[in-house]
Amino acid sequence: MACTSLSKSALPLLQTRKPKSPSAPPLHLFPPKSSHSPLFGLKLSSPKFSSPTLSSPRPPICAKVSKGSVPPNFNLKDQNGKNVSLSNYKGKPVVVYFYPADETPGCTKEACAFRDSYEKFKKAGAEVVGISGDDPSSHKAFASKYRLPFTLLSDEGNKVRKQWGVPSDLFGTLPGRETYVLDKKGVVQLVYNNQFQPEKHVDETLKLLQSL
């Protein structure tokens, strides 16, 4: 009976003494929410979350060349290694067409279409200039192989392409195919983009030139 009464009297005491957990901060798998930001307590104004691009040097972003604008001048080497500037063509219409690369099927079709209609461009008083990222030796071989009577310029690094804002195709993997027609004052009168119908660039530019 003594043992029974002792255990009953000790039972409430044992129940009230709960083991204390070690004093350690609670473990959170996710940061707690805060009123500072909807992004789970992150302070967007904190310096460590600032954009790293602010300290990274980047080329200047130029506006896309469009109808009615005057495009930036360029100075590039042609297929013979000579420097050619856009300003050289002031006073006459000029067709500037950007294409992806020498010796590719679409670019060969486009170049040969300009070649076959070259007399029509001359009759309209216009010059034709092709631009791609290939080097002058590649242009020389390309022009010689297909007897191209017009100028091909080497835009290595695609600097002029970027300055003019020529868009890329296939999610940025393929350099764009875009043609510009400038009038005698150097003002853009036509911007034509068609990657997969290269011959149509010739039709559209001639149509525009005949209306100038």
Side-chain angles (χ1 to χ4, degrees):
M1 293 295 291
C3 292
T4 304
S5 60
L6 178 62
S7 61
K8 286 182 178 180
S9 61
L11 184 58
L13 181 62
L14 294 175
Q15 289 176 339
T16 57
R17 293 179 180 176
K18 295 183 180 180
K20 294 183 179 181
S21 58
S23 56
L27 178 63
H28 296 288
L29 295 180
F30 299 97
K33 292 185 179 180
S34 168
S35 60
H36 294 295
S37 165
L39 298 177
F40 296 99
L42 297 179
K43 294 181 181 180
L44 299 181
S45 60
S46 176
K48 65 180 180 179
F49 293 109
S50 60
S51 173
T53 57
L54 296 178
S55 59
S56 304
R58 291 195 176 235
I61 299 174
C62 299
K64 178 179 170 61
V65 174
S66 58
K67 183 179 178 180
S69 66
V70 177
N73 191 31
F74 55 69
N75 192 342
L76 301 172
K77 290 188 180 299
D78 67 6
Q79 62 263 49
N80 298 311
K82 295 180 180 179
N83 289 324
V84 176
S85 296
L86 178 62
S87 58
N88 294 346
Y89 298 103
K90 269 284 183 70
K92 62 174 67 175
V94 58
V95 177
V96 179
Y97 80 94
F98 289 85
Y99 64 98
D102 295 338
E103 294 289 356
T104 56
C107 298
T108 301
K109 284 183 180 180
E110 184 177 24
C112 290
F114 274 111
R115 177 201 64 195
D116 295 343
S117 297
Y118 188 64
E119 289 301 319
K120 295 179 182 178
F121 286 101
K122 286 181 64 178
K123 186 176 181 180
E127 295 285 347
V128 176
V129 178
I131 301 179
S132 79
D134 301 288
D135 60 32
S137 61
S138 174
H139 281 337
K140 188 170 185 177
F142 186 51
S144 176
K145 182 177 180 179
Y146 295 101
R147 304 186 308 279
L148 305 179
F150 49 85
T151 300
L152 296 179
L153 297 180
S154 177
D155 182 25
E156 295 185 78
N158 295 317
K159 182 179 178 181
V160 175
R161 179 182 286 271
K162 293 172 184 175
Q163 287 179 335
W164 285 44
V166 179
S168 300
D169 294 303
L170 296 180
F171 306 102
T173 60
L174 182 64
R177 188 187 308 280
E178 190 152 280
T179 297
Y180 302 83
V181 178
L182 283 62
D183 64 17
K184 295 179 180 180
K185 296 180 180 179
V187 179
V188 175
Q189 296 298 330
L190 174 71
V191 180
Y192 183 73
N193 187 296
N194 192 329
Q195 180 69 260
F196 303 108
Q197 292 180 299
E199 299 98 326
K200 287 202 71 175
H201 286 253
V202 176
D203 299 334
E204 295 299 319
T205 52
L206 282 174
K207 189 187 304 182
L208 187 280
L209 286 170
Q210 290 165 359
S211 69
L212 290 180

